[in-house]
């Protein structure tokens, strides 16, 4: 079997790249180790930059997002028990769309089915053959048999734990990492949001976030310890702790419904450089991870896909490899800026167990400056809505 591009992983990066390639006539096959139901069940990101939304439109998968997504023109930051609005529209004239990752995944899966492109789900033992210049292939197990696809290029879109990054020889990769000493305990609940916009809370008991997926579905988070277990957090305890961290007005608007999902996510910053090895190109979480505080994970996956899609178009249309040569450095420039923003948002909003009195004073000064300075708020808004591609 032969195709032009093999894509490993059917998360947002793989599905978006596959769809952009398919609608522009570039043949591709996606290999995914999980079932479609499992992929759709993962509750993750929910804030979409305009750039990522535009890409979904380019892929012909944006219609439902525009119908059902919530356009947000700002966020609120709660500090010292008072809420302060960061008005994206007034500061930078842009907005974001709140629309769940699971919905984006569903829209991309349907768009892919409509163009008749192949995705093989529940495949096993993927291995990449990268050693021969100009010739690549991917082996995998399907229906109990080992199969192989020859291709021009491989897109490693298989997330942080995938095999693509691990297939690159160790001496070629430079990895940069920060693991944070806390996690996020999140619940999904079929109740209206506390407020029409996201509330990011800095509180002496720890960070909290009131987010949403729709006008009737809330996503609520608490900073928690790394050794916490979800069994230790029945809904009643979750709401009690959240109420302690919110301002009184927000507490009054909190609907305490039964959670329909509950999970703990550790927080990490991670970048692997370069994002290319021969004919293998990494995109999305396979190459980098951000803590979710800046809502950048999915959006960064989309910008990688944009650069890679453009480079592949240039290769097939103009027979020029210039875009492919530039892919890693171009993508990494934006990756590091989003890493910086996510790290900064995390550092100003969370309680760090090891922080000294000086560190705590610095965090206060940072927040007081941010919330009193139009220039500082503009910088936040510019990054939150997403830096241009
Ligand atoms: C628990 C959690 C919560 C998150 N919350 C947020 C949030 O609130 N906001 C935000 O912006 N971002 C969030 N993120 C990050 C965001 O979801 C990711 O950045 C985004 O999913 C990246 O998409 P991706 O396609 O690159 O990787 P993934 O979504 O990880 O997709 C990779 C795919 O590859 C498949 N795969 C893995 N290994 C193999 C293999 N060997 N063979 C074949 N297939 C393989 C996986 O099954 C998966 O389907 C969260 C992430 C996690 C894990």
């Amino acid at each position: 079997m032969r195709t032009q591009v093999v894509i490993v992983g059917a998360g947002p990066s793989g599905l978006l790249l596959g769809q952009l390639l398919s609608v522009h006539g570039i043949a591709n096959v996606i290999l995914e180790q999980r079932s479609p139901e499992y992929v759709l069940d993962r509750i993750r990101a929910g804030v979409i930059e305009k750039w990522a939304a535009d890409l979904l439109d380019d892929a012909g998968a944006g219609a439902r997002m525009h119908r059902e997504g919530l356009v947000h023109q700002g966020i609120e930051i709660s500090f010292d028990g008072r809420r302060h609005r960061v008005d994206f529209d007034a500061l930078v004239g842009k907005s974001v769309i709140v629309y769940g990752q699971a919905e984006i995944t569903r829209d991309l899966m349907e768009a892919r089915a409509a163009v008749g492109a192949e995705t093989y789900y529940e495949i096993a033992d993927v291995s990449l053959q990268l050693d021969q210049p100009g010739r690549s292939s991917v082996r995998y197990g399907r229906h109990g048999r080992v199969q192989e696809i020859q291709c021009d290029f491989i897109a490693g879109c298989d997330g942080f734990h995938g095999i693509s990054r691990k297939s690159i020889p160790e001496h070629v990769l430079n990895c940069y990492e920060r693991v944070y000493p806390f996690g996020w305990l999140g619940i999904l609940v079929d109740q209206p949001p506390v407020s029409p916009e996201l509330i990011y809370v800095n509180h002496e008991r720890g960070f909290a976030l009131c987010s949403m997926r729709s006008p009737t579905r809330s996503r609520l988070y608490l900073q928690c310890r790394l050794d916490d277990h979800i069994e230790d957090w029945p809904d009643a305890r979750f709401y009690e702790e959240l109420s302690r961290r919110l301002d009184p007005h927000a507490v009054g608007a909190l609907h305490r419904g039964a959670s329909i999902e509950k999970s703990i996510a550790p927080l990490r910053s991670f970048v692997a450089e370069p994002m290319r090895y021969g004919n293998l190109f990494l995109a999305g979480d396979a190459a980098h991870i951000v803590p979710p505080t800046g809502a950048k994970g999915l959006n960064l996956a989309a910008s990688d896909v944009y650069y890679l899609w453009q480079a592949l178009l240039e290769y097939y249309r103009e027979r020029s490899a210039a875009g492919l040569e530039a892919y890693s450095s171009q993508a990494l420039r934006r990756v590091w800026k989003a890493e910086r923003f996510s790290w900064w948002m995390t550092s100003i909003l969370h309680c760090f167990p090891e922080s000294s009195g000086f560190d705590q004073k610095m965090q206060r000064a940072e927040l007081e400056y941010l919330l009193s300075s139009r220039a500082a708020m503009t910088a936040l808004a510019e990054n939150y809505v997403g830096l241009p591609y």
Side-chain angles (χ1 to χ4, degrees), residues 8-15 31-34 38-39 42-47 101 123 126 157-164 184 213 219 221 263-266 283-286 288-290 292 294-299 301:
V8 186
S13 321
L15 286 167
L31 304 175
E32 164 62 50
Q33 67 179 4
R34 304 287 190 176
Y38 184 98
V39 171
R42 289 190 293 226
I43 309 294
R44 290 182 174 180
V47 176
Q101 178 168 330
I123 50 103
V126 171
C157 299
D158 49 352
F160 185 66
H161 299 288
I163 49 88
S164 297
W184 278 20
R213 290 293 178 268
R219 183 79 168 141
Y221 294 100
S263 52
I264 292 180
D285 280 16
H288 42 73
I289 296 284
V290 285
K296 287 285 164 261
L298 176 60
N299 292 301

Side-chain angles (χ1 to χ4, degrees), residues 174-177 269-273 287-289 332 335-336 339:
N174 287 311
C175 294
Y176 303 88
E177 183 170 46
S269 298
F270 174 87
V271 181
E273 296 187 347
H288 42 73
I289 296 284
L332 281 166
V335 165
W336 277 113
E339 289 281 347

Side-chain angles (χ1 to χ4, degrees), residues 25-42:
I26 299 173
N28 62 91
V29 172
I30 299 183
L31 304 175
E32 164 62 50
Q33 67 179 4
R34 304 287 190 176
S35 68
E37 296 75 29
Y38 184 98
V39 171
L40 281 171
D41 241 20
R42 289 190 293 226

Side-chain angles (χ1 to χ4, degrees), residues 6-144:
V6 169
I7 299 170
V8 186
S13 321
L15 286 167
L16 182 57
L17 178 65
Q19 192 57 17
L20 288 164
L21 294 177
S22 294
V23 297
H24 287 82
I26 299 173
N28 62 91
V29 172
I30 299 183
L31 304 175
E32 164 62 50
Q33 67 179 4
R34 304 287 190 176
S35 68
E37 296 75 29
Y38 184 98
V39 171
L40 281 171
D41 241 20
R42 289 190 293 226
I43 309 294
R44 290 182 174 180
V47 176
I48 312 301
E49 295 172 359
K50 182 190 169 296
W51 314 107
D54 289 349
L55 259 192
L56 282 166
D57 287 338
D58 288 334
R64 194 162 68 96
M65 171 187 65
H66 291 296
R67 269 198 321 276
E68 297 177 13
L70 309 173
V71 175
H72 280 204
Q73 290 173 335
I75 54 167
E76 291 189 286
I77 295 182
S78 174
F79 171 55
D80 269 352
R82 275 189 54 222
R83 271 194 259 164
H84 308 255
R85 181 156 190 262
V86 183
D87 186 335
F88 300 155
D89 193 34
L91 292 165
V92 292
K94 294 198 174 65
S95 54
V96 292
I97 301 180
V98 171
Y99 189 64
Q101 178 168 330
E103 306 310 317
I104 291 177
T105 307
R106 185 183 303 280
D107 296 344
L108 285 166
M109 281 179 174
E110 285 174 7
R112 187 166 178 84
V115 297
E118 296 276 18
T119 309
Y120 299 146
Y121 287 96
E122 297 181 90
I123 50 103
D125 303 327
V126 171
S127 64
L128 314 183
Q129 277 64 55
L130 299 167
D131 295 338
Q132 291 165 301
R135 278 182 49 209
S136 302
S137 65
V138 181
R139 273 189 214 132
Y140 59 96
R142 188 166 183 238
H143 304 319

Side-chain angles (χ1 to χ4, degrees), residues 194-212:
V194 170
S195 174
E197 291 176 346
L198 275 72
I199 309 175
Y200 286 83
V201 183
N202 171 292
H203 191 276
E204 61 190 10
R205 295 181 66 87
F207 169 79
L209 172 62
C210 297
S211 181
M212 72 282 295

